[in-house]
Amino acid sequence: MSPGVRVFVLLGVVTFLVAQVSAQDTYLSRALVLMSETPLIDGHNDLPWVLLKQFNNQLNKVDLNTLNNTHTNIPKIKKGMLGAQFWSAYVPCDTQYKDAVRQTLEQIDVVHRMCQQYPETFRFARSSQEIREAFRDNRTASLIGLEGGHSLDSSLGTLRTMYQLGVRYLTLTHSCNTPWADNWLVDTGSQPSEHNGLSPFGKQVVKEMNRLGMLIDLAHVTVKVMNQVLDMSAAPVIFSHSSAYGICPHKRNVPDDILLKVKQKAGIVMINFYNDYVTCSHTANVSDVADHFDYIKRVAGPSIIGFGGDYDGVSRVPTGLEDVSKVPVLVAELLRRGWKDDEVKAALGENLLRVLKKTEEVRDGMVNTQPDDSPIPYHEVQNSCRTGAGYPDESSSSCSSLSWLAVLLSLAACLTLREQ
């Protein structure tokens, strides 16, 4: 090859590479424009849990502007153009039958205090309209999702109280059965079914959520529960952080037949970024996540798709999506794959806004329906930490009485040892 030809070829290669970079920049620029017009609404972020684990919810000891060992902080939020976030009020399954309600209230409290401490960034929101208003004012609308029915302690009164405090979705289970619903691990065979899906009280919970206008989140339940709720709910449902089972056959993901039922219900699946749910392995990249968007779009259309990153709640995230600041890169990838502007806007936030507004309309249509005040049968929740107050002829047992018994037994043991 002559020197002249070599230079010509090299120039051609450089021109091609520059064109490729320019094309990518074009997609990213277009993504940022769309995100300036429609709020990116993410269905699940566990920053409140990180604040509990690292700081015991002492917000005075942390600065969200400089916090740097998390997927989420204020500079990353601004760079990622996060329009609205459902912050997770999560407490572990080992709090069930113990102090789950108290711990959940503390997680709700920390979200409210985040908004109070950083009003230039966050604005608490309770409705679809308030999300739009916060977005217009360049604030990240902050909503609360309750991750796990064990946080209710099987109480409809607690459910209503949580709603009054601003909770706008409830994930019916986490990774444990409640006294009224089976969780996703039942489908793996690692836990037994206790209710064959939902118990009668579980169905009361679903109906009361419809009456309140609270979104029903199916992200952690069995397929049986998914079908039961989709069949009976008067409002659309959500999967706040789940991906497509057809790509990664993990039981936390959504099967094709459920995707179609979600479409019929006009609900939404907010796609999770956790590597294990994206590729069923420890590694993943932006393209792998986009594959889930494409797959769900192909199976059920763009109207049921959303973003549910699960940031700060997972140990592994895809290369290129290392934190909340990187989400525009995923939006650019969808555009590169031929997604139309209106399809991208639907996935960014319009789908979730539609679902929430419809849920509010169902609530408004049930304004004359009385709150359900029929309690769960006592035998379904009886345990050593629950009193029988309100239930006729039930004895009052409690953790404290057992604690005193433990103290007495310990004293007796000490006396026995001393005598020996």
Side-chain angles (χ1 to χ4, degrees):
M1 183 182 293
S2 68
V5 172
R6 185 179 293 111
V7 169
F8 180 80
V9 171
L10 288 174
L11 285 174
V13 171
V14 170
T15 301
F16 173 77
L17 291 175
V18 169
Q20 290 295 100
V21 172
S22 298
Q24 180 59 38
D25 287 345
T26 298
Y27 291 126
L28 184 57
S29 297
R30 190 168 146 210
L32 295 175
V33 169
L34 295 176
M35 295 174 77
S36 72
E37 298 171 347
T38 300
L40 164 64
I41 304 175
D42 185 273
H44 195 89
N45 185 299
D46 279 295
L47 180 63
W49 176 242
V50 173
L51 295 175
L52 172 62
K53 288 193 298 180
Q54 293 190 15
F55 305 100
N56 201 15
N57 285 343
Q58 297 174 90
L59 283 185
N60 293 331
K61 294 186 176 182
V62 59
D63 185 347
L64 295 186
N65 288 292
T66 58
L67 182 67
N68 61 11
N69 61 344
T70 57
H71 297 144
T72 312
N73 62 23
I74 288 174
K76 292 172 183 175
I77 285 170
K78 293 185 180 299
K79 185 176 179 181
M81 301 186 70
L82 182 62
Q85 181 67 67
F86 281 91
W87 302 106
S88 177
Y90 162 76
V91 298
C93 280
D94 62 10
T95 64
Q96 184 162 216
Y97 311 121
K98 300 173 187 174
D99 56 353
V101 174
R102 173 187 64 80
Q103 288 203 36
T104 302
L105 289 172
E106 290 175 353
Q107 294 310 101
I108 291 171
D109 171 68
V110 83
V111 175
H112 281 282
R113 288 190 293 126
M114 280 170 52
C115 296
Q116 293 161 4
Q117 193 159 327
Y118 302 95
E120 72 288 349
T121 299
F122 304 120
R123 179 177 296 173
F124 197 80
R126 294 176 173 82
S127 67
S128 55
Q129 181 60 31
E130 289 182 1
I131 293 174
R132 292 188 185 278
E133 290 170 358
F135 182 67
R136 283 198 296 268
D137 292 340
N138 198 30
R139 301 293 188 274
T140 296
S142 295
L143 301 95
I144 298 175
L146 209 63
E147 190 179 19
H150 59 281
S151 288
L152 303 181
D153 197 18
S154 301
S155 164
L156 294 174
T158 301
L159 175 70
R160 289 187 284 272
T161 300
M162 299 296 190
Y163 182 84
Q164 292 299 322
L165 292 173
V167 172
R168 285 303 176 266
Y169 78 63
L170 169 67
T171 317
L172 297 185
T173 65
H174 191 250
S175 296
C176 54
N177 293 340
T178 69
W180 42 272
D182 288 338
N183 84 98
W184 68 278
L185 287 170
V186 170
D187 285 344
T188 71
S190 62
Q191 291 186 12
S193 172
E194 296 180 32
H195 314 291
N196 192 28
L198 289 172
S199 75
F201 183 78
K203 294 175 182 178
Q204 287 178 246
V205 172
V206 169
K207 292 178 181 178
E208 189 65 359
M209 290 177 70
N210 282 171
R211 191 193 68 81
L212 287 170
M214 186 184 290
L215 296 167
I216 301 166
D217 179 21
L218 301 178
H220 277 266
V221 301
T222 62
V223 171
K224 182 66 178 287
V225 174
M226 294 176 194
N227 278 298
Q228 287 174 314
V229 173
L230 283 161
D231 288 342
M232 68 176 292
S233 176
V237 305
I238 71 168
F239 286 81
S240 67
H241 56 307
S242 297
S243 297
Y245 188 87
I247 290 183
C248 169
H250 193 290
K251 296 300 184 181
R252 271 283 283 105
N253 287 338
V254 188
D256 288 4
D257 61 325
I258 298 296
L259 290 175
L260 292 172
K261 291 188 77 168
V262 171
K263 180 180 181 179
Q264 293 169 1
K265 205 74 177 181
I268 187 172
V269 176
M270 307 181 84
I271 294 170
N272 196 314
F273 298 173
Y274 183 36
N275 291 354
D276 299 46
Y277 303 161
V278 173
T279 60
C280 287
S281 71
H282 285 185
T283 60
N285 57 39
V286 175
S287 181
D288 294 321
V289 178
D291 288 344
H292 284 262
F293 281 78
D294 278 347
Y295 184 89
I296 294 177
K297 178 185 169 188
R298 185 165 64 250
V299 172
S303 67
I304 74 160
I305 302 173
F307 291 72
D310 210 357
Y311 281 119
D312 285 306
V314 295
S315 55
R316 292 177 286 274
V317 291
T319 301
L321 288 172
E322 290 83 1
D323 57 57
V324 298
S325 73
K326 304 298 180 64
V327 177
V329 175
L330 175 58
V331 179
E333 173 64 13
L334 297 179
L335 291 169
R336 188 189 68 79
R337 293 179 175 215
W339 281 52
K340 299 175 182 176
D341 287 5
D342 60 342
E343 293 173 337
V344 169
K345 286 185 172 185
L348 282 171
E350 293 299 334
N351 288 339
L352 189 281
L353 287 167
R354 184 200 71 244
V355 168
L356 183 53
K357 183 171 177 52
K358 177 59 179 178
T359 302
E360 293 163 352
E361 291 171 355
V362 169
R363 173 201 64 197
D364 295 343
M366 300 176 69
V367 67
N368 294 322
T369 302
Q370 292 297 312
D372 185 345
D373 58 5
S374 299
I376 190 170
Y378 187 69
H379 71 271
E380 295 181 12
V381 289
Q382 187 174 10
N383 63 75
S384 61
C385 292
R386 193 183 189 99
T387 66
Y391 293 91
D393 304 321
E394 298 294 349
S395 61
S396 295
S397 60
S398 68
C399 292
S400 58
S401 65
L402 289 180
S403 297
W404 279 110
L405 177 60
V407 170
L408 291 172
L409 290 173
S410 296
L411 286 172
C414 289
L415 290 172
T416 301
L417 288 172
R418 182 177 296 177
E419 290 173 356
Q420 293 175 345

